[in-house]
Amino acid sequence: MFKTQVMEINMGPQHPSTHGVLRLKLGLDGENVKSCYPIIGYLHRGVEKICENKAFFQGQVWTDRMDYCSAVSNNLGWAEALEKLFGIRVPRRARYLRTMLNELNRLNSHLVWLGTHAMDIGALSVFLYTWRDREKILDVFEAFCGSRLTTTAMRIGGLQEDVPEGFEKMVRDAFESVRIGIQEYETLLSENRIWLKRTVGIAKLSADDCLAYGVTGPILRAAGVAYDIRKAHPYAAYDEMKFEIPTRTEADTYARYLVRLEEMRQSIHIVEQCLEGLPEGPVMAKIPKTLKSEVGEVYHPTEAPKGEIGFYVVSEKGGVNPYRFHIRTPGFLNVQAIPLMLQDALVADVVTAVGTLDVVLGEIDR
Amino acid sequence: MKKFLKTLIPTELAKGLLLTGKWFCQVMFSPNRGKSKLHIVDEYPEVPAKVQPRFRGRLQLLKDAQDEIICVCCMACIKACPTNAISLVAGKKEGRKTRIPESYDFELERCIFCGFCVESCTFNAIALNHQFELAVYNREDMAIGLGGVFQSIDKPSPVGKFSYSGKE
């Protein structure tokens, strides 16, 4: 008498909980998600092609604008890739400062993630607290780099400027706030029954699936694989730092939340090590004014807050700009796993799955 | 039994409410709360906003002690600019050995505030000042230059009231 059929619904590209312009084509049977198909590309600007047409040093400003929550990490990956290509050795002080900025950026990115993810699921007050703490970290960026979001922090061969006056006090003040903040987020969320109902066992992605899809970052670590490029292929000054890689085995949204919270604590730990052991010396290596490349190709992966970000650069002889410039962004591969995470899920869990991946469409479409 | 009581009495929710309530009361009932340390929001349009010394705002041509433009038209900033926001025409002036810009056009629409132009300048002739309120009423006003039809490169934006004009 009654006939049921799968209804196709578009979630996004303008849906507030998709964090940008991600479009999900959902096949719904009532409340149950039968199929899910992510469609990306609404924010495509052709960053890779633009970088090929600009001088080597100019490409940095587009890496700022890819993942706007973690501009420094993108800058760092970009700078290290080009330093590898040109064979430049960065001074030790610059490497320490880079590590420090990168970890501050990881804190910033995770705070943004926690606030927006919790708000998607329904815990609005966490958002206000994370934004309070994030503000202090952004002030540190403004003092060091001159800008809050589009930092343009690195230069090929080091950093543009040394630390500003009163920098250490500023960072320590920010940490005082963030430390109390992390405790508060735990009070608000970790045992909260609504939070547990919405996250435990939701959007599972097993370690095998992660490896098959190339998913990296906290999602991989929450599935039990202790893979972190900071330890596996140390760059900047990470080989001199003491820190742990937090892992969980549950592979669900709650595990990812715990992994990221622990990562924030580790980041504070790393920055404090950098502040204590900051070596003296220059922050910029001696490099020629115009960089001319030899024939070569280089791939350099670094650990951005969202996963592995890698820069692949091909150069030709005497070139002032890269011949080919490819960016492997973490979000691009992570977002492909959404259909797997949403097998036999409810519509409400779609929001959780998108939120837990920490998608920023600027880097996915780039 | 214990588990049943635990589901019945939402202690963890109460803890969360207590936390938010504590912050609310601390801020709400602190004397002189606009100046209290807990009050973390700036009263921005009423109180002028402060930026850090390295903040990158709008491009500005600097002048020396004799109130003359320092720029000698070496074109380094034009080469460094990733978005081609700057263009200039070199000219000459009596009694000056070096060249002087006849026109120095800077398109605010295109500028991305990266600061590469300032870094490339070996004469310290340009700077990104601390001005951040860059809205204008007409699109034509986005073109900034030395005079004529352009908005003056030395003056603040017609809409900006609070931000700092001039270097440092």
Side-chain angles (χ1 to χ4, degrees):
Chain A
M1 200 170 137
F2 294 107
K3 208 175 80 186
T4 62
Q5 62 175 26
V6 173
M7 184 163 69
E8 284 221 327
I9 279 188
N10 281 313
M11 186 169 159
Q14 309 294 348
H15 195 277
S17 74
T18 53
H19 300 269
V21 282
L22 175 66
R23 178 172 155 214
L24 293 171
K25 212 179 192 180
L26 299 174
L28 299 180
D29 178 14
E31 277 281 301
N32 299 309
V33 178
K34 289 290 169 201
S35 68
C36 172
Y37 189 69
I39 299 162
I40 58 172
Y42 288 92
L43 203 60
H44 179 69
R45 292 151 294 172
V47 168
E48 291 173 1
K49 199 68 199 170
I50 295 171
C51 287
E52 283 166 21
N53 290 313
K54 295 281 172 188
F56 280 109
F57 77 96
Q58 288 176 330
Q60 189 185 13
V61 294
W62 278 280
T63 62
D64 280 337
R65 284 155 183 81
M66 272 176 358
D67 181 355
Y68 37 81
C69 292
S70 51
V72 176
S73 296
N74 299 346
N75 295 162
L76 179 63
W78 167 88
E80 296 231 326
L82 288 182
E83 279 152 13
K84 217 176 182 178
L85 184 73
F86 291 114
I88 297 165
R89 274 187 65 84
V90 184
R92 190 147 171 263
R93 187 180 172 84
R95 283 195 281 130
Y96 264 69
L97 290 173
R98 281 176 170 193
T99 311
M100 191 157 75
L101 283 178
N102 192 23
E103 288 308 311
L104 280 168
N105 185 72
R106 193 180 308 279
L107 264 175
N108 169 25
S109 176
H110 283 351
L111 285 171
V112 173
W113 165 80
L114 183 61
T116 51
H117 181 45
M119 193 167 67
D120 283 345
I121 297 184
L124 182 81
S125 48
V126 180
F127 177 78
L128 305 172
Y129 293 118
T130 56
W131 242 243
R132 172 197 65 192
D133 299 336
R134 175 182 180 250
E135 190 64 30
K136 299 203 168 127
I137 294 170
L138 288 185
D139 280 346
V140 173
F141 282 148
E142 194 185 319
F144 198 106
C145 316
S147 190
R148 289 155 62 85
L149 276 180
T150 52
T151 48
T152 322
M154 310 292 167
R155 297 289 180 275
I156 301 171
L159 296 158
Q160 172 60 16
E161 282 176 289
D162 212 328
V163 286
E165 221 172 289
F167 182 72
E168 187 172 342
K169 190 181 171 293
M170 213 171 177
V171 177
R172 289 202 192 275
D173 281 354
F175 281 172
E176 207 176 303
S177 170
V178 174
R179 270 219 189 82
I180 299 168
I182 293 174
Q183 280 172 15
E184 285 175 353
Y185 317 144
E186 290 222 298
T187 319
L188 285 169
L189 294 176
S190 285
E191 289 168 24
N192 188 319
R193 62 183 64 189
I194 306 165
W195 180 258
L196 291 176
K197 276 253 159 80
R198 292 298 305 267
T199 56
V200 175
I202 304 295
K204 276 194 167 188
L205 193 67
S206 67
D208 290 340
D209 288 338
C210 283
L211 294 174
Y213 275 68
V215 172
T216 46
I219 302 147
L220 183 65
R221 290 194 281 278
V225 183
Y227 178 68
D228 190 320
I229 296 161
R230 290 176 291 170
K231 279 260 198 243
H233 310 284
Y235 56 96
Y238 283 111
D239 45 350
E240 298 170 34
M241 299 291 147
K242 284 195 191 78
F243 62 99
E244 286 162 19
I245 308 171
T247 50
R248 307 283 296 184
T249 47
E250 293 90 340
D252 59 358
T253 309
Y254 189 64
R256 285 171 209 136
Y257 155 75
L258 292 176
V259 163
R260 284 196 174 104
L261 272 192
E262 188 54 37
E263 265 182 27
M264 277 156 71
R265 291 204 191 88
Q266 294 294 334
S267 289
I268 295 176
H269 186 51
I270 294 173
V271 176
E272 281 179 341
Q273 284 177 52
C274 285
L275 281 176
E276 273 153 27
L278 193 64
E280 293 295 319
V283 292
M284 189 73 183
K286 284 202 172 72
I287 56 161
K289 209 163 185 192
T290 43
L291 288 163
K292 290 217 168 129
S293 60
E294 293 296 313
V295 179
E297 61 179 313
V298 75
Y299 177 76
H300 188 73
T302 52
E303 183 78 22
K306 294 170 177 70
E308 173 185 341
I309 184 159
F311 288 84
Y312 174 66
V313 191
V314 182
S315 63
E316 50 191 0
K317 194 169 167 56
V320 288
N321 42 11
Y323 175 75
R324 177 80 179 93
F325 195 82
H326 176 69
I327 308 159
R328 180 241 192 258
T329 49
F332 179 73
L333 289 125
N334 289 3
V335 85
Q336 312 302 332
I338 285 183
L340 275 187
M341 294 164 101
L342 288 176
Q343 279 166 355
D344 309 318
L346 299 174
V347 180
D349 296 339
V350 178
V351 175
T352 317
V354 173
T356 190
L357 284 175
D358 194 5
V359 290
V360 166
L361 269 292
E363 62 155 9
I364 292 169
D365 299 337
R366 55 185 184 277
Chain B
M1 184 66 193
K2 212 175 170 187
K3 204 182 166 193
F4 176 70
L5 270 178
K6 229 178 172 180
T7 41
L8 214 62
I9 308 163
T11 44
E12 80 288 344
L13 291 182
K15 264 187 212 162
L17 278 175
L18 209 69
L19 182 82
T20 44
K22 194 189 88 189
W23 274 109
F24 175 75
C25 294
Q26 266 184 1
V27 177
M28 195 67 195
F29 303 116
S30 64
N32 201 0
R33 78 167 185 264
K35 285 187 184 118
S36 131
K37 202 187 161 191
L38 299 166
H39 193 85
I40 47 168
V41 184
D42 288 339
E43 309 275 339
Y44 160 57
E46 286 81 28
V47 183
K50 276 190 195 129
V51 292
Q52 301 288 345
R54 285 185 190 173
F55 181 80
R56 300 196 295 259
R58 199 186 81 174
L59 187 71
Q60 189 182 356
L61 275 176
L62 296 182
K63 289 179 176 171
D64 59 7
Q66 283 81 45
D67 203 33
E68 197 167 87
I69 292 165
I70 305 171
C71 178
V72 297
C73 311
C74 66
M75 310 277 178
C77 48
I78 295 169
K79 268 185 210 157
C81 184
T83 55
N84 306 332
I86 309 169
S87 57
L88 72 80
V89 177
K92 277 198 172 157
K93 195 183 168 191
E94 292 247 333
R96 186 176 151 129
K97 278 177 196 164
T98 55
R99 290 181 293 174
I100 193 163
E102 209 164 77
S103 70
Y104 192 97
D105 304 339
F106 162 61
E107 288 173 59
L108 198 52
E109 282 170 293
R110 304 182 71 126
C111 182
I112 52 172
F113 308 103
C114 61
F116 284 172
C117 49
V118 179
E119 274 168 38
S120 72
C121 188
T122 45
F123 299 91
N124 291 331
I126 47 176
L128 291 178
N129 62 18
H130 287 174
Q131 209 177 309
F132 58 87
E133 288 155 327
L134 301 171
V136 286
Y137 287 114
N138 305 311
R139 193 173 175 196
E140 294 79 52
D141 294 341
M142 282 284 188
I144 292 168
L146 286 170
V149 291
F150 294 111
Q151 193 197 139
S152 170
I153 203 159
D154 298 320
K155 284 186 188 140
S157 130
V159 185
K161 287 174 190 156
F162 307 102
S163 66
Y164 195 45
S165 90
K167 174 74 178 164
E168 314 283 78

